[in-house]
Amino acid sequence: MKIATYNVNGVNGRLPVLLRWLQEAGPDIVCLQELKSPDERFPAQPIRELGYDAIWQGQKSWNGVAILSRVGEIHETRRGLPGDPDDRHSRYIEAAVNGILIGALYLPNGNPRPGPKFDYKLRWFERLIEHARGLIETGLPVMLAGDFNVMPTDLDVYKPERWLDDALFAPDVRAAYSRLLDQGWTDTLRSVHPGETIYTFWDYFRNAYARNAGLRIDHLLLSPALSDRLLDAQVDHHVRGWEKTSDHAPVWIELADKA
């Protein structure tokens, strides 16, 4: 089974790119982020025509997350993280799909730092850590997938010295990601590619993609009950080179069938 995450940076504006990639790559399940679309404008029909059911939580102009599946019904279990009833950002949706519980997320960017946006990012991360602990404790096969907006180590960022003041590379943000992994989650890309420079995002400016001046901020994490099924993890980096594409590339993993 092939499961992917992809920050589309506007699902309607990038729809031709999304549909082209879905046809080319054929993932079974996909988590999308940064829809930038209200619920009523989510392009369910063209996605359905490719064989995918979908659930989504949109938001006008900003945020938005979705889960697509062509391997079975999507049973939604949650939308929005617990812990802050006043948080109206569309950043988390969770569902059971084909025997796996999937949390699709778009963690706040947090810039500028310091400031209220960075404070919100840290609070959101703490809520994620708390919720993820409960998911681990269920013993179920669980995956957290999405744009985490964090480069965990120096290996995950081009010229890390230039990012020391950025919210995506702040010590307390990286420490939060490390505490999340310490619960028992497997960082799939890093597990398959230890010590390798591998990116998932390239800025639109300064010819970043051509220079491979990128960041690794899109992650797929597996719970202990699922990690032994991991066969592969890759980035479809060529999609970043297409016309009118997102500044992220799709990231995917392949899982063995359940024994």
Side-chain angles (χ1 to χ4, degrees):
M1 182 165 53
K2 187 175 183 179
I3 306 178
T5 183
Y6 188 18
N7 180 320
V8 290
N9 191 15
V11 70
N12 288 297
R14 316 287 181 193
L15 185 60
V17 172
L18 173 62
L19 297 179
R20 176 183 173 185
W21 170 72
L22 288 173
Q23 289 179 302
E24 175 190 275
D28 297 303
I29 299 170
V30 185
C31 300
L32 300 178
Q33 305 88 46
E34 209 170 343
L35 303 179
K36 295 182 177 178
S37 168
D39 282 341
E40 64 272 16
R41 292 198 61 234
F42 182 81
Q45 185 59 34
I47 289 172
R48 193 171 290 123
E49 289 172 358
L50 291 183
Y52 291 88
D53 291 326
I55 62 169
W56 62 91
Q57 183 184 25
Q59 190 166 1
K60 184 179 180 180
S61 302
W62 308 103
N63 307 324
V65 286
I67 298 175
L68 319 181
S69 170
R70 65 170 189 171
V71 289
E73 189 174 348
I74 305 171
H75 301 276
E76 184 178 322
T77 56
R78 168 176 292 280
R79 51 178 59 202
L81 278 178
D84 184 357
D86 296 325
D87 186 359
R88 300 291 184 243
H89 287 201
S90 299
R91 294 187 175 276
Y92 186 86
I93 194 166
E94 185 180 287
V97 189
N98 200 26
I100 299 174
L101 186 61
I102 299 173
L105 63 95
Y106 177 41
L107 206 141
N109 177 284
N111 282 304
R113 164 182 175 256
K117 290 184 177 181
F118 185 68
D119 296 339
Y120 171 65
K121 176 175 188 153
L122 293 180
R123 292 195 305 270
W124 204 96
F125 219 143
E126 290 302 323
R127 290 163 56 204
L128 176 64
I129 290 170
E130 183 62 26
H131 182 60
R133 181 179 295 108
L135 295 177
I136 283 274
E137 290 173 352
T138 67
L140 296 170
V142 185
M143 180 177 69
L144 296 176
D147 179 357
F148 283 69
N149 268 319
V150 54
M151 297 90 81
T153 71
D154 286 3
L155 188 60
D156 301 309
V157 51
Y158 175 78
K159 294 192 175 179
E161 66 275 9
R162 296 185 178 181
W163 291 81
L164 297 178
D165 296 326
D166 195 277
L168 279 66
F169 202 51
D172 30 6
V173 172
R174 288 187 288 158
Y177 186 82
S178 181
R179 286 192 288 118
L180 178 64
L181 293 189
D182 285 345
Q183 294 176 346
W185 300 95
T186 295
D187 181 333
T188 55
L189 266 182
R190 189 50 68 211
S191 176
V192 172
H193 303 277
E196 183 178 336
T197 298
I198 185 166
Y199 300 136
T200 67
F201 169 95
W202 298 261
D203 205 317
Y204 290 125
F205 304 106
R206 297 177 294 278
N207 207 27
Y209 177 68
R211 296 187 296 114
N212 197 30
L215 313 173
R216 189 176 77 95
I217 58 177
D218 303 272
H219 310 301
L220 296 104
L221 310 184
L222 303 182
S223 72
L226 193 56
S227 59
D228 61 349
R229 292 171 55 186
L230 178 64
L231 297 176
D232 198 8
Q234 301 292 340
V235 180
D236 284 344
H237 55 81
H238 67 286
V239 177
R240 176 60 181 84
W242 291 353
E243 289 187 9
K244 299 181 180 179
T245 192
S246 171
D247 41 11
H248 296 249
V251 184
W252 56 267
I253 62 172
E254 184 178 359
L255 298 178
D257 294 334
K258 187 177 180 181

